[in-house]
Amino acid sequence: MTLRRVTAALALVGIAIAGYLTWVHYAGLEAVCVGGGGGCERVQSSRWAELAGVPVAVLGLGGYVLILASLALPEELGAQAAAFLSLVGFGFSAWLTYVEIEKIEAICQWCVASAVIMTALALVSVARVLRDAPPAARAA
Amino acid sequence: MLRRRPLVQLGAVVALAAIVVVAAILISGGDDDEQAASPTPGTSGEPAVNEEVAKLYDGIPQQGIDLGRKSAPATMVEIADLQCPFCADYSRTALPAIVRDYVRPGKLRYELHFRSFLGRDSVRAAGAAAEAARQDRMYQFADVFYRNQGPENSDYADADFMRMVASQVEGLDVDKVVAAADDPLSRPAVKEGEQFARNLGSTSTPDFYIRKGGVLTPLQVQGTAPEDYAKALDAALGGT
């Protein structure tokens, strides 16, 4: 399996997770939290669930879609775009995980799953940028 | 072996990503350290933070007189007076359930307007609430105020009272709240709250409305129990 295919697979999983959280947000529903405890609802209803009025789930969904779309670009440019997007996603996910633990004192399993996916995407994307092969060969 | 060019590219990408992440964190309000850095209540003989109030509103977006998500399909509008005993009853009995069941899950946004038509203490209280709103802590301030509400127009809402109330709200700048109570009419929000109520023809408090699709209509509540408000809200929110 090539790194491009891994990127596509991870991005699709991320879209599914962020898409679910976006749907839950706009439908006014509570996210299904495995094991209960209300952690997901507490996180999703916190003030950190929005960034400048935009739900974080929507930003995540947009990020995953853009990462997937970056696969349509020439390899060198696409790898850089995916690396930028996934590193931003990784950094912000790390921040949100810190907020969940230290500020909200609740864990949303969906957010953790998204953070794991974004971390994997960042690693794969960085590997694509660093891959030591001629750009022309990689674009094929 | 890694070539030099990809490393340079990666460095640039990482730097750019770091800038965007830091900007996003700043936009999200950081981790609230600025508010946490305020003098800690309870360390100089002042009352400790009211944990029950803090827990009720913890993590819910709050901006000025608004509580809850901007994306909520409807907004419940309350017109109140901090001196009004019925408003205090509502704040103690029904509002917590509304916050927990409707505002926190994003089904409803809440908008609280304070008028000041019951006397001097009302005006002072409205001034203090306006400052608390400026610090995005009005709901906690109002909750603690109601819990300590004194006899109507007994001049109880003096500087010591305001300090006692404000000290129980985590992150609130107490001195600014006391100063606002001493000079309430310098706060545009005090006049705006009164004008908002008059424009609606509101004559008593608490008075409730629902704003849905840009249209503001009175909220018909039959009774004063939490379930009465839930019933009225469910009817008003139907179809959202």
Side-chain angles (χ1 to χ4, degrees):
Chain A
M1 190 180 247
T2 66
L3 291 178
R4 289 170 61 89
R5 284 179 178 167
V6 174
T7 299
L10 289 170
L12 286 170
V13 174
I15 287 171
I17 294 171
Y20 171 69
L21 291 176
T22 300
W23 172 65
V24 162
H25 179 92
Y26 285 110
L29 303 171
E30 291 180 18
V32 175
C33 221
V34 180
C40 292
E41 188 207 344
R42 196 165 179 79
V43 172
Q44 292 301 316
S45 62
S46 76
R47 72 177 180 83
W48 288 281
E50 290 185 351
L51 182 64
V54 181
V56 170
V58 173
L59 295 175
L61 181 60
Y64 286 120
V65 168
L66 287 175
I67 290 171
L68 189 65
S70 72
L71 292 170
L73 296 172
E75 174 59 13
E76 188 172 1
L77 180 61
Q80 289 172 9
F84 170 72
L85 291 165
S86 58
L87 283 169
V88 169
F90 167 73
F92 198 62
S93 294
W95 157 252
L96 290 176
T97 303
Y98 159 77
V99 166
E100 284 182 51
I101 295 168
E102 292 296 323
K103 300 293 173 185
I104 307 173
E105 296 179 347
I107 287 289
C108 170
Q109 295 147 6
W110 294 98
C111 306
V112 173
S114 176
V116 169
I117 295 294
M118 200 55 95
T119 303
L121 272 169
L123 291 171
V124 172
S125 300
V126 167
R128 284 174 63 200
V129 173
L130 293 177
R131 197 165 48 177
D132 190 20
R138 294 199 299 268
Chain B
M1 187 176 161
L2 294 175
R3 292 172 301 151
R4 183 177 174 79
R5 190 167 168 238
L7 279 176
V8 173
Q9 290 173 345
L10 182 62
V13 167
V14 169
L16 197 57
I19 290 169
V20 173
V21 170
V22 170
I25 290 171
L26 291 175
I27 290 170
S28 77
D31 62 0
D32 248 356
D33 279 347
E34 185 186 343
Q35 288 158 346
S38 300
T40 306
T43 56
S44 57
E46 292 177 340
V49 166
N50 189 311
E51 297 294 344
E52 192 181 339
V53 172
K55 190 176 177 186
L56 177 62
Y57 295 102
D58 182 37
I60 302 177
Q62 189 174 155
Q63 189 172 21
I65 63 170
D66 298 315
L67 180 75
R69 296 182 196 167
K70 289 178 181 172
S71 56
T75 300
M76 181 171 174
V77 178
E78 179 191 353
I79 297 172
D81 187 309
L82 281 162
Q83 270 218 96
C84 155
F86 301 108
C87 301
D89 283 343
Y90 164 78
S91 174
R92 280 192 295 265
T93 58
L95 183 59
I98 294 172
V99 171
R100 184 188 66 232
D101 298 337
Y102 293 89
V103 178
R104 186 176 284 282
K107 297 175 186 172
L108 194 67
R109 201 162 194 234
Y110 207 95
E111 188 179 297
L112 177 52
H113 296 262
F114 282 119
R115 60 184 312 181
S116 43
F117 70 147
L118 294 178
R120 273 197 309 270
D121 284 333
S122 293
V123 182
R124 287 181 52 81
E131 173 57 29
R134 197 189 65 76
Q135 297 181 40
D136 298 334
R137 294 286 187 281
M138 187 185 78
Y139 284 83
Q140 292 93 326
F141 174 81
D143 196 329
V144 177
F145 188 108
Y146 281 136
R147 288 165 191 250
N148 294 278
Q149 192 183 62
E152 215 168 299
N153 288 327
S154 60
D155 287 335
Y156 69 93
D158 58 12
D160 289 342
F161 177 85
M162 293 301 179
R163 186 171 294 281
M164 179 270 293
V165 170
S167 297
Q168 294 182 55
V169 178
E170 186 176 17
L172 196 57
D173 187 321
V174 176
D175 291 336
K176 285 183 179 173
V177 170
V178 174
D182 288 341
D183 188 16
L185 295 179
S186 68
R187 308 287 165 149
V190 174
K191 291 174 187 168
E192 287 167 8
E194 191 58 33
Q195 196 58 50
F196 180 80
R198 288 179 186 173
N199 289 346
L200 283 173
S202 177
T203 55
S204 62
T205 53
D207 202 9
F208 302 100
Y209 298 82
I210 281 284
R211 184 184 294 115
K212 193 175 163 188
V215 179
L216 194 64
T217 53
L219 179 68
Q220 306 294 343
V221 187
Q222 306 296 326
T224 57
E227 51 269 28
D228 297 324
Y229 286 93
K231 198 173 172 183
L233 283 172
D234 288 342
L237 296 174
T240 56

